[in-house]
Amino acid sequence: MAIPIKNDNQLARMREAGHVVAEVFALLKSRIEPGLSTRDLERLAVAHMRKYGAKPSFKGYNDFPGSICTSVNNEVIHGIPGIRKLKSGDIISIDVGVYLNGFHADAARTFPVGDVSPEALRLISVTRESFYKSIEFAKANCRLFDISAAVQDYVEMFGYTSVEDYVGHGVGMELHEDPQIPMFRQQGRGPRLCKGMTLAIEPMVNQGSREVVTTRDNWTVVTKDGGLSAHYENTVLVTEGEPEILTRLMY
């Protein structure tokens, strides 16, 4: 496995792409409300990317038809934007990839819509926190699979499960680069991390069983038992100290 190392020039361009991703999420968070369609969210996201001359990473990737992923309630990942309108009580996981100046940045968030149950809010919070627990190991000389174990260990403390059918990944000149990053415990500790690696770390956490299935559109992944699912992801730069989150607003 050859995990790409980014130089300063490449990292500067990834920070630019990551900033656009972060701004898209800030915009979408401010606009999400009952009655808005998932296609409306897609249009808002793409319009904001175009202000920077950026493109959506996902559009046409392996023939994916959307520019962002919009996954509602029991939909885990890869939901296709469309005419579906959000309702109060829904939760929506949005995955955004931006391609700018030759590099990708990738992140996901789960948002509540209107009045959401305490249990749904708890799932969203635990999923987010599992990401932050995991990146305590996203440092030079740490091991990749310590990230994986941290996610599973944390979510299971709350009775949740970590999806095993899909994983995080390296990101940079390609949307998906080495390494694959499981969000669940592995045998061994995996390869050693080095300064300059850029990782898309993305817990996908289910309320019930970890089992998932793909729907008839051949893209949307849902929980097999119908339980809620949440998703939280950032593009993370490995440094010799604290990791740098490239897809988070810094002002």
Side-chain angles (χ1 to χ4, degrees), residues 67-130:
S67 295
I68 63 174
C69 300
T70 52
S71 306
V72 180
N73 294 333
N74 69 318
E75 297 173 351
V76 182
I77 51 172
H78 302 162
I80 302 170
I83 63 173
R84 179 177 186 171
K85 292 188 176 181
L86 300 176
K87 304 187 302 295
S88 183
D90 286 341
I91 63 173
I92 180 169
S93 297
I94 303 175
D95 199 344
V96 173
V98 162
Y99 182 69
L100 179 65
N101 296 328
F103 285 84
H104 297 270
D106 186 10
R109 305 282 188 271
T110 301
F111 299 105
V113 182
D115 295 322
V116 172
S117 71
E119 174 56 31
L121 292 174
R122 180 175 179 260
L123 174 66
I124 293 170
S125 176
V126 169
T127 302
R128 179 182 184 276
E129 188 60 25
S130 73

Side-chain angles (χ1 to χ4, degrees), residues 3 34 45 50 62 68 84-85 94 107 123 185 205 212 235:
I3 302 175
R50 286 176 176 163
N62 291 333
I68 63 174
R84 179 177 186 171
K85 292 188 176 181
I94 303 175
L123 174 66
R185 184 173 286 281
V205 180
V212 299
T235 297

Side-chain angles (χ1 to χ4, degrees), residues 4-15 103 196 237:
I5 304 294
K6 305 331 188 275
N7 61 36
D8 288 346
N9 178 268
Q10 292 169 327
L11 290 172
R13 287 188 275 172
M14 288 194 69
R15 288 187 183 95
F103 285 84
L237 168 64

